[in-house]
Amino acid sequence: MKKRVSVFLLCLMCFMLTAACGKRDEDTTGQTVDVYYMSKDETHIQKEEYEMRSTDTAGQIQELLEVMAMPPESNEIKAVITSGFMILGAAQDGEQLVINLDERYRELDPSVEILTRAALVRTLTQIPGISYVSMQVREEPLTDRSGNPVGVMEAAMFIDNAGDEINSYERVKLKLYFADETGTELREINRTVVYNSNISMEKLVVEQLIDGPNAKDVYPTINPETKVNNVTVKDGTCYVNLNENFLTQTYNVTSEVTIYSIVNSLVELANINKVQISINGETDGTYRETIPFSTVFERNLEVIS
């Protein structure tokens, strides 16, 4: 096993030497990042803090790939880059990192493959200047189990709950509403998310809104410290229970924009017509002293830009 890992690392170092002419970023020596590993039972990924030594983009790519190939100290996790497949190359194209794999990658168990993919994307997009990752097999685009191209990936696409079965992961396109530059109107964006189907779509939508936008010309509407207590649906009405941090608005947006970013996003789901928002289960207060939480909200097209 040690010999096979050594051979792998030697090949990894050889191909990374071709990227030595990559641009240098600001000095990031000592930057702490999260390196993602696979759980021992291969049901989820776990992160471990790691302090990088390299100061340039190419060096950081090489360093993190090498770390992800080495057996971790803990017996409860294991490396995602194994002797089961080979990384043939990695090239930066703007903000995207293109990883080329050998054909053995297609032989990975589907659950292991998506965990490997999630770990690579989450780890490597922490490198300054790398926002996206795409993967190829012998320079052919990686496809999913249905034969569809996986495409360009970002960290926000992978939503996992530790302990849940990775086999239930699915890809979905959500229609979300965030603020425009004035903070007085909403703009629609489409976001593709890979998520664990043990998470309800309603909760997924709310969590994505809290995470904020990842597109240009749209802005957050909800305090990022907000926590989702629970989300339930009954007879077409979605009940969203948030914690008290929702009451503290950290962005320059109107009350209507915040409320209807949630409402308009949720009613895009086929099973929802109305939305009620509560704070720690209570609906007797108001949002910013203007909007009663006792209101059962419907879609509002007037606030959409």
Side-chain angles (χ1 to χ4, degrees), residues 104-120:
R104 290 180 295 172
Y105 186 82
R106 297 189 189 276
E107 299 173 5
L108 294 179
D109 181 88
S111 63
V112 172
E113 189 278 323
I114 196 169
L115 284 171
T116 301
R117 201 190 323 158
L120 284 167

Side-chain angles (χ1 to χ4, degrees), residues 17-270:
L17 287 175
T18 63
C21 59
K23 66 178 182 180
R24 294 184 65 88
D25 289 305
E26 59 191 64
D27 189 347
T28 53
T29 302
Q31 176 186 350
T32 299
V33 299
D34 292 324
V35 174
Y36 285 85
Y37 298 91
M38 194 176 308
S39 64
K40 186 177 181 180
D41 58 2
E42 299 182 345
T43 60
H44 58 279
I45 56 177
Q46 296 178 210
K47 62 185 179 183
E48 294 284 332
E49 285 192 351
Y50 174 77
E51 188 173 303
M52 287 198 294
R53 301 181 304 276
S54 302
T55 60
D56 64 289
T57 302
Q60 290 173 350
I61 295 170
Q62 175 183 352
E63 183 176 344
L64 289 182
L65 287 174
E66 288 179 352
V67 170
M68 296 182 77
M70 295 298 294
E73 293 182 3
S74 172
N75 293 326
E76 298 303 313
I77 54 178
K78 54 186 179 181
V80 295
I81 301 177
T82 69
S83 56
F85 65 92
M86 185 70 67
I87 294 182
L88 302 177
Q92 184 181 2
D93 181 8
E95 293 185 59
Q96 180 183 166
L97 179 65
V98 182
I99 300 177
N100 188 26
L101 308 153
D102 73 357
E103 60 278 357
R104 290 180 295 172
Y105 186 82
R106 297 189 189 276
E107 299 173 5
L108 294 179
D109 181 88
S111 63
V112 172
E113 189 278 323
I114 196 169
L115 284 171
T116 301
R117 201 190 323 158
L120 284 167
V121 174
R122 283 190 173 183
T123 300
L124 295 170
T125 53
Q126 295 171 89
I127 297 173
I130 302 294
S131 300
Y132 310 97
V133 173
S134 63
M135 298 171 67
Q136 302 175 340
V137 176
R138 293 286 180 182
E139 300 185 353
E140 294 293 327
L142 179 66
T143 57
D144 60 22
R145 284 174 285 177
S146 300
N148 301 312
V150 170
V152 177
M153 298 167 285
E154 59 182 331
M157 290 177 61
F158 296 93
I159 313 298
D160 83 311
N161 278 358
D164 288 339
E165 290 297 328
I166 193 71
N167 290 330
S168 59
Y169 269 58
E170 298 178 5
R171 178 188 297 263
V172 67
K173 181 175 286 188
L174 301 175
K175 185 178 289 186
L176 304 174
Y177 291 89
F178 291 101
D180 68 358
E181 65 274 9
T182 69
T184 62
E185 293 185 309
L186 293 170
R187 285 185 177 171
E188 168 195 323
I189 68 164
N190 292 308
R191 175 181 294 177
T192 299
V193 178
V194 176
Y195 77 105
N196 191 304
S197 58
N198 293 322
I199 305 173
S200 71
M201 287 290 292
E202 300 81 32
K203 184 177 181 182
L204 179 66
V205 167
V206 178
E207 289 181 341
Q208 290 293 298
L209 291 171
I210 294 171
D211 285 344
N214 55 3
K216 295 181 179 178
D217 301 323
V218 288
Y219 301 89
T221 60
I222 303 173
N223 181 349
E225 297 299 318
T226 301
K227 304 298 181 184
V228 180
N229 294 326
N230 57 69
V231 181
T232 58
V233 179
K234 183 178 181 181
D235 298 329
T237 300
C238 183
Y239 299 91
V240 180
N241 182 10
L242 305 173
N243 78 343
E244 64 281 358
N245 291 335
F246 178 73
L247 299 173
T248 304
Q249 181 52 266
T250 58
Y251 302 112
N252 187 24
V253 297
T254 65
S255 302
E256 289 77 13
V257 161
T258 296
I259 293 296
Y260 285 103
S261 69
I262 298 173
V263 176
N264 287 358
S265 297
L266 283 169
V267 297
E268 291 291 344
L269 302 178

